[in-house]
Amino acid sequence: MEKIRIFLTDDNDEIRAALHKYLEAQEDMIISGEAANGVEALQRLPECPSDVIILDLIMPQMDGFGVLEQVQRIPPEQRPRVIALTALGREDFIARALRLGVNYYMVKPVEMSQLMDRVRDSARQMEGVCEEPPELPPPPSPNVDDRMSNIFLSLGIPAHIKGYQFLREGVRLVIEQPDRINRITKELYPSIARRYATSPSKVERAIRHAIEVAWSRGRVESLNRAFGCRVAIPEDKPTNGEFIALIADKLGMEKQHSASAAAGG
């Protein structure tokens, strides 16, 4: 089996080295080339045939958007698939990247297992593999993670604050076991705290801060658009439990619907 050729573009040497080490350790992957900025990427790509480009968006000399514009000029049958891996979660950046042909948009920090899934999905798209239906739909869990990220980031909750990660973990736990939301203080906060080696009180405060950030930025309508109806208003900020329950209920139903559709298909 031919290995998936991956081209890494990121101006952070440590991130690039970590990605290189992890991805090349996979039996089905190889790093075809690397670049620290957009100009270097465009110079090296013709010499480094690649199936997938992992691309940061904010880089010196030329940003990732400039690279995307040039990649779109490559004939479709030869064009590498692109995974944007960036700390930027702004809605306008996501929309612009998707318009320029990004196949997946992922926000740092990212779980390596999820990144590998996206690399493999992208490589299958590159090959045009369509005769293996069970592998075509993305796995349910990453879908939930992606939807969760999109909702949080569209609300303006930055990925680097602790409350962002604590919220993600809280929503995942409640999707797995919905009645945990009724034991938020005794079970949910302590479970998150154990995962991140912190205290339940710090988890509660960080989640509260993340929600306050979202409401202070005035992007509540992004949440309403995600739900397709009015579930929140700027004047009525939800409690931690109300917010987690709202997101978990929405994503849990989407997950069930996807599973039912897959079973029916």
Side-chain angles (χ1 to χ4, degrees), residues 8 10 12-20 56 85 108 112:
L8 300 175
D10 197 304
N12 186 309
D13 294 339
E14 292 183 3
I15 290 177
R16 210 168 61 250
L19 289 171
H20 187 128
D56 192 9
L85 181 61
K108 301 173 185 175
M112 286 295 189

Side-chain angles (χ1 to χ4, degrees), residues 4 24 36 41 46 69 73 77-78 98 122 136 157 172 222 225 255:
I4 302 169
E24 195 149 78
E69 289 171 354
R73 299 182 180 183
E77 65 277 6
Q78 301 171 13
L98 293 174
S122 300
L136 284 175
I157 301 175
R172 276 196 291 260
S222 297
R225 285 195 298 273
K255 184 177 180 180

Side-chain angles (χ1 to χ4, degrees), residues 85-196:
L85 181 61
T86 176
L88 294 170
R90 282 173 41 182
E91 201 170 358
D92 54 338
F93 279 87
I94 296 172
R96 184 182 176 192
L98 293 174
R99 284 197 303 270
L100 288 171
V102 160
N103 298 90
Y104 291 106
Y105 193 106
M106 306 184 75
V107 178
K108 301 173 185 175
V110 68
E111 293 182 11
M112 286 295 189
S113 60
Q114 187 178 349
L115 178 60
M116 286 191 301
D117 287 339
R118 293 296 180 255
V119 168
R120 292 183 178 114
D121 287 345
S122 300
R124 284 196 292 270
Q125 294 170 18
M126 179 76 178
E127 295 167 2
V129 175
C130 57
E131 58 272 18
E132 299 181 26
E135 290 191 1
L136 284 175
S141 293
N143 273 350
V144 169
D145 286 342
D146 288 349
R147 287 284 289 132
M148 203 187 313
S149 295
N150 289 340
I151 290 172
F152 292 164
L153 294 168
S154 67
L155 273 169
I157 301 175
H160 67 272
I161 66 173
K162 291 181 179 179
Y164 176 93
Q165 294 298 334
F166 295 166
L167 273 171
R168 286 172 61 93
E169 182 67 13
V171 170
R172 276 196 291 260
L173 289 171
V174 173
I175 289 174
E176 291 172 4
Q177 191 175 327
D179 65 348
R180 280 188 173 124
I181 199 65
N182 300 319
R183 302 187 297 276
I184 190 169
T185 303
K186 293 185 177 180
E187 182 176 338
L188 189 62
Y189 290 156
S191 296
I192 300 170
R194 284 193 296 273
R195 167 78 186 272
Y196 290 94

